[in-house]
Amino acid sequence: MLFSPLAQADDTTWTAGSSHVGTVTVPIENGPNVVWKCDGTTCRLTGPWGKELSIDSCQNLVIRVGKISFYKNSAGKIWTKNSAELKECNQVAD
């Protein structure tokens, strides 16, 4: 059985609802720059950067792609359009 070095067991995938198309380089809090891949409906990022959602990381994405309709990860965390966290995140686009 082969294991891909790109999808390790400790990796988490984040997704954000966005109409942006293309790749977006975004700094993450206390970490490196990361690259989101956006297809016009969803922006996606996978990596070993923890299991939580971060206002800072969310806002860094929103600054580049505009307001998002959700923010979630494969660890089961989610901010929906009605959540206070997503509203705070999207404030940087105003």
Side-chain angles (χ1 to χ4, degrees):
M1 180 183 232
L2 297 175
F3 292 97
S4 168
L6 300 176
Q8 299 175 2
D10 59 348
D11 282 356
T12 303
T13 298
W14 287 265
T15 54
S18 172
S19 60
H20 187 80
V21 175
T23 58
V24 182
T25 301
V26 175
I28 59 171
E29 190 175 12
N30 301 318
N33 286 340
V34 296
V35 177
W36 287 84
K37 295 179 182 175
C38 305
D39 63 12
T41 354
T42 305
C43 293
R44 186 174 315 281
L45 164 72
T46 298
W49 301 290
K51 306 288 183 199
E52 298 300 319
L53 298 177
S54 159
I55 287 287
D56 182 69
S57 295
C58 183
Q59 288 179 333
N60 282 327
L61 177 63
V62 166
I63 287 168
R64 289 155 181 85
V65 303
K67 289 185 178 185
I68 58 176
S69 57
F70 65 85
Y71 191 57
K72 66 181 181 176
N73 67 26
S74 59
K77 309 292 184 189
I78 185 168
W79 296 343
T80 63
K81 65 180 182 176
N82 296 322
S83 69
E85 295 90 350
L86 190 64
K87 288 176 184 173
E88 180 180 348
C89 175
N90 278 326
Q91 285 179 350
V92 297
D94 292 336

